[in-house]
């Protein structure tokens, strides 16, 4: 008998098909009477394929699934899964590190250039037929800037590597100095923000990183400063960001993530100096397929011989 699993939210068709081929699948968002489901079929569910963007998986939900053994996340960030609650219940949590680093780094560079050179605004200018009336205004530039990276982990390093080719200085802040990199390390985020005029956030969304980028950090970034957030919305105090953008305390922002996705504050939508993306850092067909395959392999590895490929740190002692 195939193990029974829940899929927490819609995933690419190929990923859903791979899950359906290997497991007996329940699609949580399609179940009308969830109380009845949890009292009946839910008691047989051994695995959970978790879409990061489809709601939080907390201890209360785990308690409704007494046979649950593994929660396999579809993404590297697992802030939507309470991994500590899972570990307490002996439930494995896995994520999909590594297979999306280059894709997210590419997107970050694209968002940075789009924000500085105002590419979406220029596109709108052409489409709205404004070009015959005069040239598009001159934009800010990446030239001569110093880029600060908050979180020089796997993706942060891939971003830094790309920035090397652009000939700009890279500095960073994180919990600790990274071995084997020549970039200047700052032991405070305010110190990094003072030293740079672009700040890229690519840390996990945790209690410790919540609102790390606040009014003080934005003020330190300065009037020519540009914020790029491809981490999690929670890392930035969005109200402070809106105030800073409106007051001209910083120059511009490029955002892929928000505090209350998929809701984006109207104040951000109204601003001309902000580029807004709908959380698409890893969202190419190829990379989402690779993430999906790793998630399926984590589930398969666990059910075959209790060997998931990429368990998250909080549960590694369970493997
Ligand atoms: P990673 O390799 O684990 O790197 C994370 C980095 O953040 C590490 O250098 C870590 O420091 C640092 N960090 C962690 N907590 C910190 C804290 N409290 N203060 C300062 N620095 C801290 O993770 P990754 O694969 O690069 O991914 C990073 C995050 O990007 C994910 O968790 C996810 O939230 C986000 N992400 C977003 C998208 C998107 O679509 N926009 C796509 C993928 C990932 P240490 O070296 O000391 O551990
Ligand atoms: C995905 C992400 O949007 O990997 C992450 O942490 O944020 C993205 O790759 C998300 O995981 C889709 O579920």
């Amino acid at each position: 008998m195939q193990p029974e699993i829940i899929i927490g939210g819609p995933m690419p068709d190929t990923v859903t098909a791979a899950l359906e081929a290997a497991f007996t699948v329940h699609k949580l968002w399609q179940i009308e009477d969830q109380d009845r489901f949890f009292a009946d079929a839910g008691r047989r569910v051994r695995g959970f394929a978790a879409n990061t963007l489809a709601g939080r998986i907390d201890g209360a939900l785990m308690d409704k699934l007494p046979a649950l053994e593994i929660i396999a996340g579809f993404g590297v960030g697992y802030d939507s899964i309470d991994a500590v609650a899972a570990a307490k219940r002996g439930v494995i949590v896995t994520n999909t590190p590594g297979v999306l680093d280059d894709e997210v780094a590419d997107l970050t560079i694209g968002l940075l250039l789009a924000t500085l050179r105002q590419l979406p605004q220029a596109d709108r200018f052409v489409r709205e037929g404004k070009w015959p009336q005069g040239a598009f205004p001159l934009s800010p530039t990446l030239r001569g800037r110093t880029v600060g990276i908050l979180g020089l982990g796997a993706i942060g390093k891939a971003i830094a590597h790309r920035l090397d080719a652009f000939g700009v200085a890279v500095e960073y802040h994180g919990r600790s100095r990274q071995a084997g990199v020549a970039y200047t390390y700052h032991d405070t985020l305010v110190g990094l923000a003072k030293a740079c005029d672009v700040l890229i956030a690519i840390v996990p969304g945790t209690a410790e990183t919540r609102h790390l980028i606040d009014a003080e950090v934005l003020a330190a970034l300065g009037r020519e400063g540009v914020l790029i957030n491809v981490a999690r919305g929670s890392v930035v105090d969005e109200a402070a960001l809106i105030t800073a953008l409106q007051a001209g305390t910083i120059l511009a922002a490029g955002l892929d993530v928000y505090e209350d996705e998929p809701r984006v504050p109207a104040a951000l939508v109204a601003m001309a100096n902000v580029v807004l993306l709908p959380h698409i850092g890893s969202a190419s067909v190829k990379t989402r397929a690779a993430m999906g395959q790793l998630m399926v392999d984590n589930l398969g590895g666990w059910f075959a011989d209790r060997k998931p490929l990429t368990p998250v740190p909080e549960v590694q002692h369970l493997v």
Side-chain angles (χ1 to χ4, degrees), residues 51-53 74-77 100 232 279 282 288 291:
N51 187 329
T52 320
L53 308 178
F74 180 57
V76 64
L100 42 56
R232 284 292 182 262
H279 199 148
S282 67
R288 285 289 167 87
M291 291 160 61

Side-chain angles (χ1 to χ4, degrees), residues 23-24 26 28 31 49-50 112 124 152 154 161 167 169 182-183 206 217 237 250 258 269 289 302 314:
F23 312 109
T24 299
H26 304 277
L28 193 57
I31 298 171
L112 173 59
R124 288 197 290 272
L152 201 70
H161 180 63
Y183 309 116
T206 62
V217 171
D237 179 344
I250 67 167
Y258 309 87
V269 174
W302 173 257
E314 290 88 337

Side-chain angles (χ1 to χ4, degrees), residues 104-267:
V104 180
D106 288 352
L107 189 282
T108 306
I109 298 297
L111 179 56
L112 173 59
L113 289 174
T115 304
L116 279 165
R117 300 300 311 276
Q118 303 178 334
L119 302 187
Q121 296 91 324
D123 177 89
R124 288 197 290 272
F125 181 84
V126 174
R127 287 172 198 271
E128 288 164 8
K130 292 182 177 164
W131 195 5
Q133 283 92 59
F136 186 70
L138 302 182
S139 74
T141 181
L142 178 63
R143 297 298 93 217
R145 284 183 180 263
T146 296
V147 179
I149 299 181
L150 168 60
L152 201 70
I155 301 172
K157 288 189 180 83
I159 295 168
H161 180 63
R162 283 157 176 73
L163 289 168
D164 289 343
F166 281 85
V168 292
V170 174
E171 306 190 0
Y172 73 103
H173 166 72
R175 280 187 300 206
S176 51
R177 196 183 289 269
Q178 298 292 310
V181 302
Y183 309 116
T184 301
Y185 175 70
H186 294 264
D187 55 14
T188 68
L189 179 54
V190 169
L192 175 67
K194 279 185 184 152
C196 67
D197 48 14
V198 172
L199 179 61
I200 298 177
I202 185 70
V203 282
T206 62
E208 291 72 37
T209 63
R210 183 178 150 69
H211 287 189
L212 263 188
I213 298 177
D214 59 9
E216 186 189 5
V217 171
L218 293 169
L221 192 56
R223 292 195 170 273
E224 285 303 307
V226 174
L227 174 70
I228 303 294
N229 187 9
V230 285
R232 284 292 182 262
S234 62
V235 174
V236 175
D237 179 344
E238 217 164 59
L241 173 63
I242 290 167
T243 303
L245 286 163
Q246 285 171 338
T249 315
I250 67 167
L251 182 69
L255 308 172
D256 186 41
V257 289
Y258 309 87
E259 286 206 76
D260 186 24
E261 294 177 14
R263 283 161 287 276
V264 178

